[in-house]
Amino acid sequence: MRARSAMTTAALTALVLTLPVTTASAAPAPAPGTAPGTASAGTGGATAPAAFVSLGIRRLLDTRSYRENPTGQARKLQPGENFPVPLSTWKSHPPRELPEVPADATAVVVNVTATNTTEDGYLTVRRDADLPGAPATSTLNFKAGETVSNTVTVAVARRGANTSPQISVYNNAGTTDVVVDILGYYGPGTSTRPAERYDNVMPIRVTDTRVEGGRLGWGSVVTAGVARDSLGTYEATSVLLNVTAVDPSTEGFVVAYPSDGTLPIEGSHLNYGPGRTVANQVVVPVGADGGIKLFNTGSTDLVVDVIGYYGPWAHHLYSAVTEQSRLLDTRDDGQSPFSTHRLQVTGVAGVPENAATVTLNMTVTEPQAAGHLEVYAADQGGRPGTSNLNFNAGQTVANGVTADQGGVQHAVDIYHHSAGRSQLIADLTGYFVQG
């Protein structure tokens, strides 16, 4: 699998890993002192509601490169290490830090990749590297030798005057390289980077190469119309997507960018390997014609679902919980095949009554068979027919989920589509309120 490095139009430079076929994965981080299946309250409240500023995609950290590591050296994360990640890019001639977010940013959206892993384990992305001990939740899980990505929204920690805020990455076991790409932040905008509010839409599929267009190969580019009247996203400046590589036969990655833009020189939104259907949540700016492009480097089918959008006439602001909390853990009672679990979020872990949409980190572990999850508003009137997370038998997989709670029940339904039982875990990362 490939964890993308810097590239030019003429050439792509990527780390290539040969992966074993895996049938088991590390279990997600437990919530200490919390019985399975019960919710744990957050420890530090939530950030003030804020609008979103899109940055496209930019590299913050690549521990494989001394040029993209705040320590000034290429080194892997050690077991049990909390690694601080300033929200900055780095220049070596002369050495200097260039902040990517303002000092009053409240939260960031980042795509985090673990690669060159030596043991089964997990990463947790959280606010502050100074928080004591192992975190109570996990962001992504990996097998030894596996490359895994996940997009997460996380509150930021202050570093002092004239410096950018920071987040941290905790490594559970073994040594691993970590890549962090920033997609945007919540906070005040500027004249060149306006801050936009968010609105959900009924999840809808806009691209499925299994139905139209055919399987993608190296260098393939798919164009998708995502800002349209028919989707309710005509005013979108950025869109929130769930992008899935379906049944890939090679290693590869996908990069999303505006239809009228150029391919970013570094960063990736989705990494995949042979035989492993994998999804990731993506935030991407929209081109002037209402479209986006998705650049692919391997052999795979590709599915793109629109979940929501940011724009000047949208209605909701985001609050990130300052320490993620566990809402659901079914490891005492596996989720039955083809069944729906209702998750009541409002009133739990400090989520207010006026929260319209919640952001979760969903994890499936110990699945007996391949399948997928659909997460949607409990009073939506039926499943949307899209997917939020895909898994194979014996595979632990996580993905960020943004789900409307509906106007009446203030709950989300999690539909488990599989021929076998699975364990489901949901961690709260934040929520949207009208503002």
Side-chain angles (χ1 to χ4, degrees):
M1 200 173 292
R2 303 168 189 261
R4 188 186 178 203
S5 301
M7 71 179 189
T8 66
T9 304
L12 296 171
T13 304
L15 174 70
V16 180
L17 302 176
T18 302
L19 302 182
V21 176
T22 60
T23 57
S25 296
T34 302
T38 64
S40 59
T43 58
T47 61
F52 179 72
V53 179
S54 178
L55 297 176
I57 186 167
R58 305 184 186 190
R59 178 66 40 90
L60 293 180
L61 171 71
D62 187 341
T63 61
R64 300 167 299 180
S65 168
Y66 75 90
R67 292 187 178 93
E68 295 177 305
N69 192 326
T71 67
Q73 59 181 321
R75 77 162 183 87
K76 302 170 77 173
L77 268 65
Q78 301 302 302
E81 181 178 7
N82 266 315
F83 190 87
V85 183
L87 300 172
S88 305
T89 51
W90 305 89
K91 300 297 181 183
S92 55
H93 300 293
R96 63 195 187 277
E97 176 183 351
L98 302 177
E100 287 291 346
V101 306
D104 51 359
T106 59
V108 289
V109 181
V110 291
N111 192 55
V112 180
T113 303
T115 190
N116 294 331
T117 56
T118 60
E119 295 183 23
D120 299 356
Y122 62 84
L123 297 182
T124 301
V125 183
R126 56 178 177 168
R127 174 175 54 92
D128 196 343
D130 294 329
L131 293 171
T137 60
S138 58
T139 300
L140 59 86
N141 300 74
F142 49 80
K143 289 286 292 181
E146 193 173 43
T147 297
V148 181
S149 299
N150 194 13
T151 297
V152 62
T153 303
V154 58
V156 302
R158 305 283 178 243
R159 298 173 59 213
N162 302 318
T163 56
S164 65
Q166 70 175 21
I167 57 175
S168 76
V169 179
Y170 172 84
N171 177 43
N172 157 252
T175 62
T176 180
D177 278 310
V178 175
V179 179
V180 179
D181 297 322
I182 186 170
L183 310 183
Y185 67 89
Y186 289 94
T190 66
S191 59
T192 58
R193 297 179 185 172
E196 310 283 15
R197 289 172 168 79
Y198 174 82
D199 275 347
N200 254 32
V201 297
M202 175 80 76
I204 187 169
R205 187 147 291 171
V206 293
T207 297
D208 188 341
T209 62
R210 299 169 300 179
V211 176
E212 183 178 3
R215 191 172 182 86
L216 304 179
W218 192 100
S220 297
V221 177
V222 174
T223 300
V226 293
R228 308 199 302 256
D229 286 349
S230 60
L231 302 180
T233 58
Y234 64 94
E235 63 173 27
T237 56
S238 296
V239 286
L240 182 64
L241 311 171
N242 202 68
V243 179
T244 307
V246 180
D247 192 27
S249 59
T250 67
E251 301 152 345
F253 59 82
V254 175
V255 187
Y257 57 101
S259 56
D260 56 1
T262 57
L263 182 65
I265 62 172
E266 60 183 356
S268 59
H269 289 98
L270 176 69
N271 291 267
Y272 57 81
R276 187 165 71 97
T277 296
V278 61
N280 203 11
Q281 193 166 252
V282 171
V283 183
V284 59
V286 175
D289 63 354
I292 62 167
K293 291 182 178 180
L294 299 108
F295 175 86
N296 173 66
T297 67
S299 176
T300 187
D301 276 305
L302 198 68
V303 171
V304 180
D305 300 327
V306 176
I307 302 167
Y309 72 96
Y310 296 90
W313 304 108
H315 301 90
H316 297 93
L317 302 174
Y318 185 72
S319 291
V321 295
T322 50
E323 187 70 0
Q324 298 154 21
S325 55
R326 182 138 296 170
L327 301 180
L328 172 70
D329 187 339
T330 68
R331 280 178 286 187
D332 62 337
D333 182 17
Q335 189 70 13
S336 300
F338 306 104
S339 60
T340 301
H341 186 102
R342 181 152 296 171
L343 179 60
Q344 194 76 40
V345 181
T346 298
V348 177
V351 178
E353 291 292 331
N354 65 336
T357 300
V358 293
T359 59
L360 308 169
N361 197 60
M362 288 293 311
T363 304
V364 170
T365 191
E366 303 173 20
Q368 297 174 341
H372 69 267
L373 298 184
E374 296 180 44
V375 187
Y376 52 95
D379 57 5
Q380 184 169 284
R383 295 187 286 115
T386 55
S387 61
N388 295 94
L389 185 154
N390 300 73
F391 52 89
N392 294 333
Q395 181 185 27
T396 297
V397 184
N399 194 22
V401 170
T402 302
D404 189 357
Q405 290 197 100
V408 178
Q409 299 192 35
H410 289 285
V412 298
D413 280 348
I414 305 168
Y415 178 72
H416 173 251
H417 186 282
S418 176
R421 298 173 72 88
S422 301
Q423 307 286 3
L424 307 185
I425 296 164
D427 297 326
L428 177 70
T429 57
Y431 52 85
F432 287 91
V433 295
Q434 187 147 345

